[in-house]
Amino acid sequence: MKKLLFIYNPASGRGQVRQRLPGLLDTFTRAGWLVTAYPTQSKGDAARMARELGGGFDRIVCAGGDGTLSETVAGMMELSDPPALAFLPAGSTNDCAYNLRLPTKPAQAAQIAAEGVPVPMDVGRLNDRNFIYVAAFGAFTDVAYDTPQELKNAFGHLAYLLNGLGQLANLSPHRLRVEHDGQVLEDEFLYGMVCNTYSVGGVKALPSRQVVLDDGLFEVLLVRKNVKVTDIAAALQAIASNTPMDTPAVVTFQTGAVTITADEPIAWTTDGEYGGTYAVSKLQCCPHALNVVKGK
């Protein structure tokens, strides 16, 4: 029989995976999988189990939030021949579920995880740390994750603006040298995002026609120092209308690799978690690094 490793976070989604575990295992078994289930015990446990056990399985299914998926990917990236990966979203944000076109109902997602056909997907790397969909630094780094869902539902993309305006008066810019594809940009920036995603923090972050999850390219967004509320509003309007952003405050480009050098070390988040602090940050897109099951 085909062997499946089911890594799940028992605390995610108010314990919904744990509560539905018998039905999920039955779905996998009926699809012809011999299942080994492992509930994570602590932060970093998903990465450890994927790294230590993943090579002996034909498919890994992880269940939890985007952080659980990110950990699992990090562990799988250390394998010389990683198996296929599937995801059961059970978090509060579920950006990766949106990217992978997965339902958030566990039973439906389990059916796709068990029977879906894996396709190649890019993975990002920040220095020696892998990430599945976004690395970010500076102002507003936590806004997307801290914004109440009710505010997102009511105001959509404007939730970024409404929940982040209070930070403007206290922001400290970073003096950066940004190098990519033979080009050099030097300026002061409040915020930067290097991503391979349609959604950040539950908010659609970039025009969808720019984003292809397996094209070997990052989408990069940088917000300059002298940002004004009107500049942010213009950028948000561009996002909302699915058009390219062209404002004095916002720089966007696509690249397979970018090096960001700061006068002082800057702290990053990767996939919504602390991602390290670096003076020199080398970000590389790893094309077709994993085979991942997507929905339709």
Side-chain angles (χ1 to χ4, degrees):
M1 296 180 68
K2 300 175 295 182
K3 297 171 64 178
L4 184 151
L5 174 61
F6 183 45
I7 299 173
Y8 68 97
N9 183 343
S12 290
R14 298 180 181 177
Q16 63 174 317
V17 175
R18 182 179 64 248
Q19 296 167 11
R20 293 173 170 80
L21 186 60
L24 299 176
L25 297 180
D26 186 61
T27 297
F28 299 144
T29 302
R30 287 176 179 271
W33 295 100
L34 181 63
V35 185
T36 298
Y38 181 84
T40 59
Q41 303 298 299
S42 60
K43 186 177 178 61
D45 211 17
R48 181 177 68 85
M49 297 310 296
R51 179 179 64 251
E52 294 181 2
L53 298 182
F57 289 82
D58 301 292
R59 179 168 297 188
I60 295 177
V61 178
C62 77
D66 292 336
T68 303
L69 176 62
S70 182
E71 281 192 20
T72 304
V73 166
M76 293 178 67
M77 288 292 289
E78 297 187 46
L79 300 174
S80 58
D81 185 20
L85 171 66
F87 180 46
L88 266 65
S92 57
T93 305
N94 291 326
D95 288 321
C96 291
Y98 184 86
N99 288 337
L100 298 172
R101 302 171 185 166
L102 296 174
T104 55
K105 292 184 178 180
Q108 296 176 3
Q111 201 74 45
I112 294 172
E115 300 177 356
V117 177
V119 297
M121 183 171 171
D122 301 340
V123 173
R125 179 173 291 135
L126 167 61
N127 291 345
D128 59 351
R129 182 186 294 264
N130 292 110
F131 60 94
I132 187 67
Y133 73 103
V134 64
F137 68 85
F140 307 121
T141 300
D142 298 324
V143 166
Y145 300 93
D146 293 340
T147 301
Q149 189 63 47
E150 294 81 4
L151 190 61
K152 295 174 188 175
N153 293 341
F155 295 100
H157 304 93
L158 293 179
Y160 259 136
L161 177 61
L162 295 172
N163 212 46
L165 289 179
Q167 297 185 15
L168 282 175
N170 301 313
L171 299 182
S172 298
H174 301 281
R175 182 73 188 179
L176 303 179
R177 176 183 173 90
V178 181
E179 302 171 76
H180 70 96
D181 305 303
Q183 302 182 49
V184 178
L185 172 64
E186 295 190 49
D187 209 333
E188 291 185 288
F189 296 97
L190 293 171
Y191 172 82
M193 179 172 71
V194 180
C195 62
N196 188 34
T197 185
Y198 306 114
S199 173
V200 177
V203 179
K204 295 176 184 178
L206 286 170
S208 59
R209 66 169 175 261
Q210 293 184 5
V211 181
V212 179
L213 301 182
D214 62 349
D215 62 355
L217 295 174
F218 287 131
E219 284 67 46
V220 181
L221 181 148
L222 302 168
V223 178
R224 284 193 169 96
K225 171 186 176 181
N226 295 319
V227 64
K228 301 176 182 178
V229 172
T230 53
D231 294 328
I232 298 177
L236 287 167
Q237 180 60 40
I239 294 171
S241 60
N242 202 30
T243 58
M245 285 172 283
D246 184 15
T247 76
V250 178
V251 177
T252 64
F253 58 88
Q254 291 181 307
T255 185
V258 58
T259 298
I260 299 176
T261 305
D263 287 352
E264 297 181 358
I266 56 175
W268 288 81
T269 63
T270 51
D271 297 337
E273 304 290 338
Y274 175 67
T277 299
Y278 313 101
V280 179
S281 305
K282 296 184 177 181
L283 296 108
Q284 178 75 42
C285 186
C286 306
H288 295 188
L290 292 177
N291 291 314
V292 182
V293 175
K294 293 177 64 177
K296 296 181 180 180

